[in-house]
Amino acid sequence: MRSRGSNNRLSSSRSAFRWRISSLVLSMFATMAAFFVACRLWQEAESRVYLVKELDRRTGQGESIISVDDTLKVIDCREQQKKLSLLQMELEEAKKEGYVSKHLIETKGTNEKKKLLAVVGILTGFGRKHNRYAIRKAWMPTGTALTKLEDEKGIIIRFVIGRSLNHGDNSDRDINNENIKEKDFLILNDHVETAEEKPKKTKLFFIDALEHWDAEFYVKVNDDIYLNIDALGAILSNHVDKPRAYIGCMKSGGVFSKPTDKWYEPEWWKFGDRKSYFRHASGEIFAVSQALAQFISINKLILRSYAHDDVSVGSWLIGLDVKHVDEGKFCCSSWSSGALCAAS
């Protein structure tokens, strides 16, 4: 019995000893592995530090002092430069294809052309040659004086006329010959000259004038008006700061509903039971800013015209955020000292 107990105790002691030896070996192995990994990481860190320093030494950059915000600004600047380069490439391609603004072609060789103050369009007709020569003699410069007015005061003046129903007939040839001599016409080739189409003619004047000249204002004038150009320039200059200015002798008279009336309006019923026009500028002379001329040009196909051009223009602008400037000097009933215009 004693011999058996002694053998059991000896066997247990041997097992415990072996377990301790195994644990010690495993601990030593784990420690060595940890030291090995730590050494490798340290070596890699030293290598990275060395490589960074070597890169800085070779590139001459040294330590960076650029903040994150500065870095973002640099990146944004580079992106903008890329966009600018692409736009310049597209512009060059457009020029090769012929998509170049007429204004840029006309001003080629100059850094920047001064914006004009006004383009004045005098609406005239085939049987109005006497009126045109009276205007040239009274208040409209001719020849070099007309060019001087354009250069010094930024005011363009042109007679505005369409084409004959029979294109190329004597009426068209007479206008062409007169234009060759005077060089003061804006000919609307897409417009047939008839009394009933005056609202359309006024619309086309704004569109064509806008395409030909970059001006602050576009002024429509009848060919039976005597005009003070200096006074016109002074008044328009006072309203350059109004981007949507509609300037004229404002009125809102009654609508004529009888066909026998001189100012008969076929669509009189659209103006309500009281038959009164909305506020609009009198047709002898009125001006619209460039922004309003652009609106008319963009929406030319859907703008409704009435019997008279002044009412039509007023209707085109009535729903917009427009500054209606009621200028008494645009009322051309009679000539007086300091007046802008007078009806002949």
Side-chain angles (χ1 to χ4, degrees):
M1 295 293 293
R2 291 180 182 175
S3 175
R4 252 180 223 178
S6 300
N7 289 336
N8 290 335
R9 286 195 295 269
L10 181 61
S11 177
S12 298
S13 299
R14 287 176 179 175
S15 298
F17 178 75
R18 288 174 183 172
W19 180 81
R20 291 192 184 97
I21 293 296
S22 299
S23 299
L24 180 61
V25 171
L26 289 173
S27 299
M28 291 177 62
F29 180 78
T31 303
M32 292 175 64
F35 274 112
F36 176 78
V37 172
C39 289
R40 290 292 298 171
L41 292 174
W42 178 258
Q43 288 176 353
E44 289 180 3
E46 284 188 328
S47 298
R48 286 197 295 271
V49 171
Y50 171 77
L51 290 174
V52 170
K53 289 183 177 179
E54 185 67 15
L55 180 62
D56 289 342
R57 185 184 66 80
R58 294 188 180 186
T59 59
Q61 291 179 350
E63 293 183 0
S64 175
I65 58 174
I66 301 177
S67 66
V68 175
D69 290 338
D70 291 334
T71 303
L72 293 175
K73 290 178 182 178
V74 171
I75 294 172
D76 183 63
C77 183
R78 288 175 179 172
E79 290 297 322
Q80 294 300 328
Q81 287 177 339
K82 290 179 182 179
K83 292 179 181 179
L84 180 60
S85 299
L86 290 174
L87 289 173
Q88 288 175 337
M89 292 172 61
E90 291 177 2
L91 179 60
E92 291 300 323
E93 291 297 324
K95 287 181 178 179
K96 292 178 183 179
E97 296 294 330
Y99 296 103
V100 184
S101 169
K102 293 182 180 180
H103 178 68
L104 292 177
I105 295 173
E106 291 171 357
T107 58
K108 187 177 180 180
T110 60
N111 292 330
E112 184 178 357
K113 190 172 181 180
K114 182 180 178 182
K115 191 171 186 177
L116 297 168
L117 175 61
V119 177
V120 180
I122 309 170
L123 271 62
T124 188
F126 291 125
R128 312 283 288 182
K129 186 174 182 179
H130 175 75
N131 291 58
R132 292 193 292 274
Y133 276 98
I135 287 174
R136 292 187 185 106
K137 187 176 181 179
W139 61 268
M140 178 180 176
T142 59
T144 56
L146 185 63
T147 304
K148 186 177 180 180
L149 178 69
E150 298 171 4
D151 294 337
E152 294 183 357
K153 296 187 178 181
I155 297 178
I156 301 284
I157 306 177
R158 293 291 186 272
F159 287 106
V160 182
I161 195 168
R163 286 300 189 183
S164 171
L165 183 61
N166 302 312
H167 275 250
D169 63 7
N170 290 335
S171 297
D172 283 341
R173 286 193 293 270
D174 289 343
I175 293 298
N176 289 337
N177 292 334
E178 188 177 343
N179 190 33
I180 291 171
K181 178 183 177 182
E182 304 292 346
K183 297 180 177 61
D184 57 5
F185 276 88
L186 174 61
I187 300 176
L188 307 175
N189 290 308
D190 296 330
H191 175 67
V192 176
E193 195 67 32
T194 60
E196 295 78 14
E197 293 292 338
K198 192 174 182 180
K200 180 182 177 182
K201 182 178 179 179
T202 301
K203 183 198 298 182
L204 290 176
F205 157 64
F206 289 134
I207 295 169
D208 276 37
L210 184 68
E211 183 178 351
H212 281 82
W213 298 287
D214 180 20
E216 298 284 355
F217 295 98
Y218 298 86
V219 186
K220 176 261 177 178
V221 181
N222 286 343
D223 68 354
D224 56 356
I225 296 299
Y226 290 87
L227 190 62
N228 184 331
I229 292 296
D230 291 332
L232 175 65
I235 292 174
L236 294 179
S237 297
N238 291 332
H239 298 291
V240 171
D241 61 334
K242 301 179 180 67
R244 294 179 296 279
Y246 173 34
I247 309 171
C249 179
M250 296 295 168
K251 63 178 184 178
S252 54
V255 180
F256 294 89
S257 58
K258 296 180 180 180
T260 55
D261 292 331
K262 179 181 179 181
W263 305 110
Y264 171 60
E265 174 58 68
E267 296 185 272
W268 56 267
W269 55 274
K270 288 186 177 181
F271 297 93
D273 296 335
R274 299 182 65 181
K275 299 179 184 178
S276 179
Y277 284 122
F278 39 76
R279 201 75 168 159
H280 65 279
S282 179
E284 290 88 357
I285 175 174
F286 56 82
V288 298
S289 64
Q290 186 182 80
L292 298 184
Q294 289 173 337
F295 170 81
I296 293 171
S297 178
I298 293 170
N299 297 281
K300 58 187 176 183
L301 298 178
I302 60 173
L303 293 176
R304 181 71 176 86
S305 295
Y306 294 98
H308 313 297
D309 67 332
D310 54 355
V311 174
S312 297
V313 174
S315 72
W316 302 337
L317 306 179
I318 195 171
L320 306 180
D321 183 14
V322 173
K323 177 64 177 178
H324 287 67
V325 180
D326 186 9
E327 177 54 66
K329 292 183 178 180
F330 275 58
C331 300
C332 305
S333 56
S334 62
W335 188 268
S336 60
S337 178
L340 173 73
C341 59
S344 61

